[in-house]
Amino acid sequence: GDSVTQTEGQVALSEEDFLTIHCNYSASGYPALFWYVQYPGEGPQFLFRASRDKEKGSSRGFEATYDKGTTSFHLRKASVQESDSAVYYCAPGSGKLTFGDGTVLTVKP
Amino acid sequence: SVLLYQKPNRDICQSGTSLKIQCVADSQVVSMFWYQQFQEQSLMLMATANEGSEATYESGFTKDKFPISRPNLTFSTLTVNNARPGDSSIYFCSSNWGGAETLYFGSGTRLTVL
């Protein structure tokens, strides 16, 4: 079945740093991956969907590209802000309703 | 999209008691999902509830412990029976409005069992 592995449990950056969060994806079919963000005290929010080889998804300055060679989707942002501090989850598509372990992003001013 | 409202926002109960968590959607949705999230952990799918049918539970969750009702297309209730300290977590309702793959979540109910 489809499964995801987030390799970074925690990421600490300063404002304007470049962000990369890795999500390794094992898919039995057509790969599509969702990114969600959870701010403290809130439920997860849909960030965007990415699919296909090299087809990017993007939202709020975040983007993700599927790397067919490594079967990975990497969440990237060129310049993070303190307000981006949150937990980021990747989740496989295909109605699996499961989530990765999450990556806690802390951005210092 | 769909907005999901949960109540209560938080609850504290004694071991052995039962409590109900309500979820209301601002539009009709076919499926509602309930998730459990322990402190600093990911979300775990508990069950799927469709209107007019019994909820389908994931491994580790049972109908006796977590009965779920889904009386109509905008409402669902999760009950925690015989609550134990190990049930202390945040419970979220969720839905994929329109049957799309995107999930929308309520704001959660933080449960503390003493």
Side-chain angles (χ1 to χ4, degrees):
Chain A
D2 294 9
S3 64
V4 294
T5 303
Q6 292 183 242
T7 55
E8 297 96 352
Q10 299 197 14
V11 174
L13 297 172
S14 298
E15 281 195 325
E16 300 184 9
D17 281 352
F18 187 90
L19 168 70
T20 300
I21 295 175
H22 298 92
C23 179
N24 297 322
Y25 187 16
S26 171
S28 58
Y30 188 82
L33 188 119
F34 292 75
W35 284 98
Y36 291 84
V37 57
Q38 186 176 24
Y39 298 103
E42 298 183 12
Q45 301 175 21
F46 169 69
L47 195 52
F48 61 83
R49 177 184 185 269
S51 63
R52 293 188 179 177
D53 190 6
K54 310 302 183 185
E55 179 177 304
K56 292 183 179 180
S58 63
S59 175
R60 309 183 204 177
F62 292 90
E63 63 177 25
T65 305
Y66 177 59
D67 185 334
K68 186 177 181 181
T70 60
T71 65
S72 299
F73 287 88
H74 305 317
L75 180 69
R76 295 189 168 100
K77 186 173 185 181
S79 176
V80 295
Q81 303 300 310
E82 187 178 5
S83 58
D84 293 325
S85 296
V87 182
Y88 292 82
Y89 294 98
C90 61
S94 306
K96 296 301 180 183
L97 305 174
T98 58
F99 289 79
D101 289 339
T103 298
V104 179
L105 172 63
T106 304
V107 181
K108 299 176 182 177
Chain B
S1 67
V2 59
L3 294 177
L4 299 167
Y5 302 95
Q6 286 184 240
K7 67 175 183 180
N9 291 329
R10 54 180 64 223
D11 200 353
I12 300 173
C13 67
Q14 298 293 326
S15 287
T17 61
S18 295
L19 65 119
K20 290 183 187 295
I21 301 170
Q22 296 181 358
C23 179
V24 180
D26 71 339
S27 58
Q28 294 183 338
V29 292
V30 173
S31 297
M32 279 186 168
F33 313 102
W34 287 95
Y35 283 84
Q36 182 184 55
Q37 185 177 42
F38 290 110
Q39 182 92 355
E40 297 182 358
Q41 293 190 25
S42 186
L43 298 108
M44 183 72 67
L45 178 66
M46 301 171 66
T48 299
N50 294 325
E51 186 249 356
S53 61
E54 287 219 353
T56 302
Y57 291 84
E58 300 297 312
S59 176
F61 300 95
T62 66
K63 172 185 173 182
D64 289 341
K65 174 69 174 177
F66 298 103
I68 292 170
S69 72
R70 186 79 204 279
N72 57 52
L73 289 172
T74 61
F75 190 80
S76 181
T77 299
L78 168 71
T79 301
V80 182
N81 282 333
N82 189 23
R84 296 298 177 198
D87 297 324
S88 298
S89 61
I90 304 175
Y91 294 87
F92 292 97
C93 68
S94 175
S95 182
N96 57 343
W97 176 79
E101 292 182 294
T102 303
L103 292 176
Y104 299 91
F105 288 83
S107 57
T109 298
R110 182 182 295 273
L111 173 63
T112 302
V113 183
L114 304 177

